Structure formats: structure tokens, C-alpha cells
Amino acid sequence: MPNQTLNPQARAQELLSASKAVSDETRLRILHILSFGAFSVNEVVEILEMGQSRISRHLKILTEAGLIANRREGSLVYSFLPDENQTGFRFPDELSKLLLSYKEDLPFWEKDQKKVHQILINREKSSQSFFDTVAENWEKLQEETLHPKLYRTWILNELPSQCEQILDLGCGPGGLIPYLLNKSKHVVGVDNSSKMIELAETSYGKNPSVSLLNAPLESIPLPDNSCDAVVASMVLHHISHPPTVLDEVRRVLKPGGIFCLVDLTKHNFEIMRDNFYDLWLGFEPELLESWLSNVKMPIESLDEISTESSFKILTIKARKEGGQNVPSNNYKIG
């Protein structure tokens, strides 16, 4: 369907510009790479084994044609495929989808795909190594910078009062688990850091109401429709490709299940990349809303909490489509 927000001349220009932009093998390969998520210029250079100036020129052409978009995370710029929920349905989106449906006919597609997966694996290994290192001091680091009592109280106020099972996604050493046990018969904590899970097990390993799993958050080892609620507390900004995790959250939630998401509002403090291994320097609410809409978890409430530091905290309550609403009860962390 043509983009009706543009006049006929502009629509024709959009069509011609996008068509011309994809008439190059390297740019087709870049579209294929970005179909796996957002990548920095240096990462695209590494995958394609080409000079940075050459890659930057191709990225500029694709951006000007509306085929890709960019976001800045401090000193780094990431390129990605636009989200239709944010841009509206346009010819460049249709063209990208059509071309990617034939990706296996593209030259070097297997080689590029293997290199993409290796970069994602390296990101995951670096993340695991970092969190294994800081695991014993994690709660203290959180308290010094992010004021967890503020958002943990919000989480507990939004959760239903009588759950069968709650998933604590990126549970760390288990700081939220004792409070979640007041809301649910069973709590599952999942974290990709073996050290974080090891520490959580020292406190809750013998509790039959708690299960602790060391696993990637992009592949949650739980059955479909198994959780009444999922909590992701200050975890999404550590994830390489958050939409993959959100799709998993939707999968494990029961119809009508609650998703409580807490994260940082978009900022430019690069120290967080070094001190906390943040891959995203916070999020714009519109981006999170778009991702949640894509996985059929519409937002019920969105708010922002100010802290004593320079950071602001986003709180989002979403619900998996289907099922009936269950009221939450007020709860206070002392």
C-alpha cells in the first residue's frame, strides 16, 4: 500500500531512491546483516571485511533511501532496519522484506550469517564474563546508582496478588525474589551469568518455591503459556537485540499475563557502558512501545520515576493479549 502521507512526487522519489539503493551487492548484504538486529559500523566492517569508509558510504546511501535507520548510543552509532510501527508502512519496508525473503539466493549469505552469529556470541560471552566478575557486588552497585527500592516497589504494586508462577528475567543474585514470593506460589529466576545464579542458589537453592536457571534470556527454558507474570528489572539495556527477548516473554506468558518492565530512560552517560556493560544507553518510550506492540503485548501504563542521580527510570506495565485482567494490590518494600 502506498504511503498516503506523501504526495505523488515524493512517493515516486521514495520508490526510485529505494530501488536504486538496493542495486548493489554490498548493500544487499548489509540489509541481510541488519535483519538480525542493530550493528555498529565497526561490526559491519568486521563482517564484510571491507574498509570503514566504504561501509560508511553504503550505510549512508541505505539511510537516505529510507531502507535503514540509525541510533546513537553515546559515541557509537548503530544501524538497523526501521520498525513499521514507528515509520508507517512504506515502500522501502516492503522492498526490504521482499529482498530478504530471497536471502538464501544472495552471494555470501552463509558466510555473512556465520559472522553475524559469531559477533552475537562474542557479545554474549563478554556480557557473561562481566556479570560473573561483578556478581558479588551487584546489589551494592545497583543501590549506589539506580535506587532499586523505588522501582521494586512499583513492580510489586503492579503484579497480581495470587500468581501460580512469576518469572524474574535477569534475576542476578536474587534481590527481588523474596518479594516476588509474597505474590506467587513459585518464582523462576533466569540469568545468563553462572556466577549470578550460583549466588542466588546460596540463598534460595533449597527453597522448593524457587527455581533458578542459568540460560540465555533470548531462549528461556520454560514452556509456552507457563507464567502469570514476567518481570524484567534493569535488564533490557544489557541485551544485544531486545525484541528477541520480548518475543520470548510473550511466549512464556499466559494469555492476559502481566509484563512489568523497568529500565532507564534514554541518556548519554557512556560511563554506564564501562561500569555496567550497558549495550543500550536507556530507551525512548516510543521504541519500547513499538517493540511491545509487535509482540502483541500492548502497554497498559507507562511512567517515569525521577531519582536522586541524573538517571530517570521508565516503568511499563504491558499485558499479553487474551485472558482477563487481574487487579494488583499495593505493596511496599521497606
Side-chain angles (χ1 to χ4, degrees):
M1 179 183 293
N3 188 342
Q4 299 300 330
T5 62
L6 300 177
N7 60 47
Q9 184 177 358
R11 290 204 301 269
Q13 183 58 46
E14 181 183 66
L15 186 151
L16 292 171
S17 179
S19 299
K20 184 178 179 181
V22 297
S23 62
D24 178 273
E25 178 183 306
T26 300
R27 292 197 282 275
L28 287 175
R29 292 173 70 184
I30 289 173
L31 288 180
H32 176 221
I33 290 165
L34 299 186
S35 70
F36 292 93
F39 292 86
S40 69
V41 176
N42 289 339
E43 288 173 329
V44 179
V45 166
E46 180 180 342
I47 294 165
L48 294 178
E49 298 177 330
M50 298 178 185
Q52 182 170 332
S53 60
R54 181 179 176 186
I55 294 301
S56 295
R57 179 174 61 84
H58 286 305
L59 290 171
K60 182 180 180 182
I61 292 170
L62 290 168
T63 301
E64 291 176 347
L67 288 155
I68 69 173
N70 303 287
R71 75 166 199 267
R72 178 171 289 279
E73 298 290 331
S75 62
L76 298 179
V77 176
Y78 288 84
S79 298
F80 58 95
L81 298 183
D83 188 330
E84 291 169 14
N85 282 345
Q86 290 184 294
T87 63
F89 201 70
R90 309 167 305 138
F91 174 73
D93 301 321
E94 293 184 82
L95 183 59
S96 291
K97 282 189 173 182
L98 175 62
L99 292 169
L100 289 171
S101 70
Y102 290 92
K103 68 179 182 180
E104 294 182 11
D105 296 322
L106 295 173
F108 305 109
W109 79 273
E110 285 185 293
K111 177 183 177 183
D112 292 346
Q113 191 160 298
K114 286 179 182 178
K115 289 200 166 188
V116 165
H117 287 158
Q118 189 57 54
I119 282 179
L120 296 177
I121 289 170
N122 290 343
R123 286 181 183 176
E124 183 70 15
K125 285 182 178 178
S126 296
S127 176
Q128 289 175 2
S129 176
F130 171 82
F131 286 106
D132 285 348
T133 301
V134 301
E136 293 186 0
N137 298 314
W138 186 242
E139 283 295 310
K140 183 179 178 181
L141 288 171
Q142 291 269 81
E143 289 172 5
E144 289 175 352
T145 309
L146 301 176
H147 312 288
K149 284 184 180 180
L150 289 173
Y151 56 79
R152 286 177 177 173
T153 295
W154 175 85
I155 289 169
L156 294 164
N157 285 341
E158 297 302 322
L159 290 172
S161 57
Q162 294 181 330
C163 295
E164 291 295 321
Q165 180 161 279
I166 292 177
L167 169 61
D168 186 3
L169 197 65
C171 65
L176 189 57
I177 288 175
Y179 304 103
L180 295 179
L181 285 171
N182 287 292
K183 290 281 190 169
S184 182
K185 294 179 181 177
H186 193 260
V187 174
V188 179
V190 179
D191 204 285
N192 71 343
S193 164
S194 58
K195 185 64 175 178
M196 290 286 194
I197 291 296
E198 181 183 316
L199 287 171
E201 284 178 339
T202 62
S203 299
Y204 311 107
K206 295 181 180 180
N207 189 330
S209 297
V210 178
S211 296
L212 297 165
L213 305 171
N214 178 208
L217 306 190
E218 295 87 348
S219 183
I220 302 170
L222 291 176
D224 296 357
N225 307 314
S226 57
C227 299
D228 299 284
V230 176
V231 173
S233 173
M234 291 297 173
V235 63
L236 209 62
H237 58 255
H238 298 299
I239 301 298
S240 177
H241 189 49
T244 303
V245 173
L246 296 178
D247 196 44
E248 276 291 273
V249 169
R250 179 205 56 78
R251 181 184 66 78
V252 302
L253 272 176
K254 297 176 182 177
I258 293 294
F259 178 43
C260 288
L261 170 62
V262 177
D263 221 295
L264 294 172
T265 303
K266 185 75 173 177
H267 63 85
N268 289 307
F269 298 102
E270 283 207 68
I271 191 172
M272 298 298 285
R273 199 191 308 280
D274 299 323
N275 289 3
F276 288 88
Y277 203 80
D278 289 10
L279 295 178
W280 295 72
L281 298 183
F283 297 96
E284 295 168 343
E286 296 80 8
L287 180 59
L288 292 173
E289 185 174 9
S290 175
W291 285 343
L292 289 166
S293 176
N294 280 346
V295 295
K296 304 293 189 292
M297 290 196 296
I299 290 176
E300 291 191 353
S301 68
L302 186 154
D303 206 350
E304 192 175 72
I305 300 174
S306 295
T307 69
E308 295 176 3
S309 66
S310 301
F311 298 103
K312 291 185 178 179
I313 297 170
L314 276 175
T315 61
I316 293 177
K317 178 183 179 181
R319 189 185 298 271
K320 180 175 176 178
E321 292 183 352
Q324 296 181 346
N325 292 359
V326 179
S328 55
N329 292 339
N330 285 340
Y331 192 95
K332 180 73 173 177
I333 292 181

